Amino acid sequence: DAGVIQSPRHEVTEMGQEVTLRCKPISGHDYLFWYRQTMMRGLELLIYFNNNVPIDDSGMPEDRFSAKMPNASFSTLKIQPSEPRDSAVYFCASSRRVGGIHEQFFGPGTRLTVL
Amino acid sequence: AQSVTQLGSHVSVSEGALVLLRCNYSSSVPPYLFWYVQYPNQGLQLLLKYTSAATLVKGINGFEAEFKKSETSFHLTKPSAHMSDAAEYFCAVSNNNDMRFGAGTRLTVKP
């Protein structure tokens, strides 16, 4: 399996622009997670999906952030409009429940810089 | 609610020395516990996991961790550090569908 795939790996944009991050989970995994990592706040869970349905979006910082999962093999995280404080590394992870537990597999991340 | 606390944001050891990274958890139900490693410019990779079977869990790259319920701890150890172990290490707890991560501990290995 190719693992979790994220694109782009790096994104540089200007304040006010729309940014879309993409994720392809591991085939057969029915949970998908979006995280944000910064030096100041560490690793934060933004939102997670189960069977393409958003379950908990309490970590989404503002209405400028939105996430979708139109099918089992694709998810997007959109920021509109972007701000410099959104600069971070965004990780996507996927998992499936085995024996009652999840082992999350992480993608390589997207490093976002908002100027 | 569940959470983990990693004691020490930075740990420095000499090559060949014992590695000890500390993690304490808080959970209202028996937890599942994990250690992940993150190398520079990469995603997180699972080192090992505790799933209520053996309390001493062995992982990849010579790491192991011991679950101690009485101390609510899940410390990560390795008998002899290698230069290649330099990375950031995250402890995580899960007892629902989500996972909560600690703040991370950056391990530096000196030659």
Side-chain angles (χ1 to χ4, degrees), chain B residues 89-104:
Chain B
Y89 292 79
F90 292 90
C91 182
V93 62
S94 173
N95 57 24
N96 290 311
N97 293 325
D98 65 354
M99 184 178 288
R100 301 293 166 173
F101 287 85

Side-chain angles (χ1 to χ4, degrees), chain B residues 19-86:
Chain B
V19 176
L20 171 62
L21 305 181
R22 300 178 187 272
C23 173
N24 288 88
Y25 70 90
S26 173
S27 178
S28 57
V29 298
Y32 298 116
L33 295 160
F34 305 78
W35 275 99
Y36 282 82
V37 60
Q38 184 180 28
Y39 298 104
N41 299 314
Q42 295 186 27
L44 279 68
Q45 176 185 353
L46 182 70
L47 268 180
L48 49 81
K49 60 186 175 186
Y50 167 74
T51 60
S52 75
T55 56
L56 182 62
V57 181
K58 295 186 183 300
I60 62 172
N61 301 337
F63 284 92
E64 62 182 37
E66 185 172 9
F67 173 71
K68 292 187 176 180
K69 185 178 179 180
S70 61
E71 299 177 8
T72 61
S73 69
F74 190 57
H75 302 332
L76 181 71
T77 61
K78 181 174 180 177
S80 176
H82 292 173
M83 297 297 292
S84 60
D85 294 327

